[in-house]
Amino acid sequence: MEIPVMVGAGLVVIGVGIGIGKIGGSAMEAIARQPEAYGKIQTAMLIAAALIEGIGFAALFAV
């Protein structure tokens, strides 16, 4: 495995981790503000996290 490939894979993993972390943090803030909307917020969060993770896997396989 070459160095640029390893760097690219590392950047993909870091980007996905940051993205999912921001989604989780924002969802927790939203739930704290509106506890009655817990179900809708959680569903939206899980869908967005799954989409980001899927794009991350696609990027890893492309590298």
Side-chain angles (χ1 to χ4, degrees):
M1 200 182 256
E2 296 181 26
I3 298 294
V5 173
M6 289 186 268
V7 171
L11 289 174
V12 167
V13 171
I14 289 170
V16 168
I18 290 171
I20 292 176
K22 284 190 173 210
I23 288 173
S26 297
M28 292 300 109
E29 287 179 15
I31 291 169
R33 290 185 184 148
Q34 290 186 327
E36 67 277 358
Y38 172 77
K40 287 185 176 184
I41 294 168
Q42 183 183 19
T43 301
M45 177 191 70
L46 289 174
I47 290 171
L51 290 173
I52 289 176
E53 191 172 342
I55 291 171
F57 279 134
L60 277 177
F61 290 124
V63 171

